[in-house]
Amino acid sequence: FFKPKIKYANNDYSSKIKEMKLSEGFNGLNTNLRPMFRKTAPWGSDHLESFLHVLGRRLLSTLKSLRDSKLSPINKKVNWLTKKLCATAKDEDGGQIVVPTDKTNSTMLVPTKDYIHWMNSQLKGVAKEIDNHRMTEIYTDAKRMLKEVSWCLSKKEQVFISETLDSRAVPTPKLLVKDHKSKKNREYQQRFIIPATNFSACFLKVGYLGLKHVLDSNKVKYSCFIIN
């Protein structure tokens, strides 16, 4: 999409663009995106960690009672996992935690101390710390960019982007275990992932869906090509 040459009067849209945006038939980039009216999560209290710990114990207790009563059918994998977690919940060393695996679409139990060690190693090797001032600059630039591209967006698309930016969401890094590969130094290989779902990724989503609509509406067969 290229912005057409429009004569501006007092830094405002031309009358033609105004009429298009005010008309009911103007769908912007035809992404069908709309605001979700998300609510900002409240700040965690000092008792949050202890609450999560108690909640975990109650969930395990509930699963254990279901397994013992045999009132609810539980497959073998869930049964084995529940038994292991109940056993490690009493471990003073932190016990074990459930970690998703890479490629095999499964989970495995990993000692908590090993997971912490792996995560710290990955963060030191590939992660780059960004201070709060830089994040504020990104947010301000993104808000300015929204104003610049609003000429081609529908009202719903604008509100969707604005809502996503205002959430200021920053994804939490994840660590996957490569259980399908051989161990190195008696440890599983890991895959460090940072989800591309931060608050500024809304522009990528809108642009992708907008381009997809243009190709689909012109019956362009693009599925057999890769754009680099």
Side-chain angles (χ1 to χ4, degrees), residues 45-57:
S45 66
D46 295 335
H47 305 289
L48 178 61
E49 291 294 332
S50 59
F51 164 75
L52 293 175
H53 183 68
V54 173
L55 179 62
R57 287 181 175 273

Side-chain angles (χ1 to χ4, degrees), residues 140-155:
T140 304
D141 291 343
K143 279 290 190 178
R144 175 182 53 78
M145 185 183 298
L146 174 60
K147 292 182 179 180
E148 293 178 355
V149 301
S150 61
W151 63 272
C152 64
L153 301 174
S154 67
K155 185 63 177 178

Side-chain angles (χ1 to χ4, degrees), residues 45-167:
S45 66
D46 295 335
H47 305 289
L48 178 61
E49 291 294 332
S50 59
F51 164 75
L52 293 175
H53 183 68
V54 173
L55 179 62
R57 287 181 175 273
R58 289 186 178 180
L59 288 174
L60 290 175
S61 177
T62 303
L63 288 173
K64 185 176 182 299
S65 62
L66 287 174
R67 185 190 64 191
D68 295 339
S69 63
K70 297 181 180 180
L71 294 177
S72 177
I74 300 179
N75 59 42
K76 293 182 179 179
K77 184 175 181 180
V78 175
N79 189 14
W80 172 84
L81 187 60
T82 304
K83 185 177 180 180
K84 287 288 185 181
L85 289 175
C86 289
T88 58
K90 302 177 182 179
D91 195 343
E92 296 181 357
D93 294 333
Q96 302 184 55
I97 58 175
V98 181
V99 181
T101 59
D102 185 33
K103 306 295 184 183
T104 57
N105 193 27
S106 183
T107 56
M108 64 181 302
L109 287 175
V110 174
T112 305
K113 59 180 182 180
D114 289 347
Y115 183 84
I116 295 175
H117 170 69
W118 296 342
M119 180 61 78
N120 287 334
S121 299
Q122 294 288 345
L123 289 174
K124 291 179 181 178
V126 299
K128 180 180 179 181
E129 186 176 358
I130 300 178
D131 57 17
N132 186 62
H133 177 69
R134 176 54 183 156
M135 297 300 295
T136 303
E137 289 181 347
I138 295 174
Y139 172 78
T140 304
D141 291 343
K143 279 290 190 178
R144 175 182 53 78
M145 185 183 298
L146 174 60
K147 292 182 179 180
E148 293 178 355
V149 301
S150 61
W151 63 272
C152 64
L153 301 174
S154 67
K155 185 63 177 178
K156 290 182 179 179
E157 290 169 343
Q158 291 184 54
V159 178
F160 167 79
I161 294 177
S162 179
E163 179 190 66
T164 306
L165 293 177
D166 290 338
S167 70

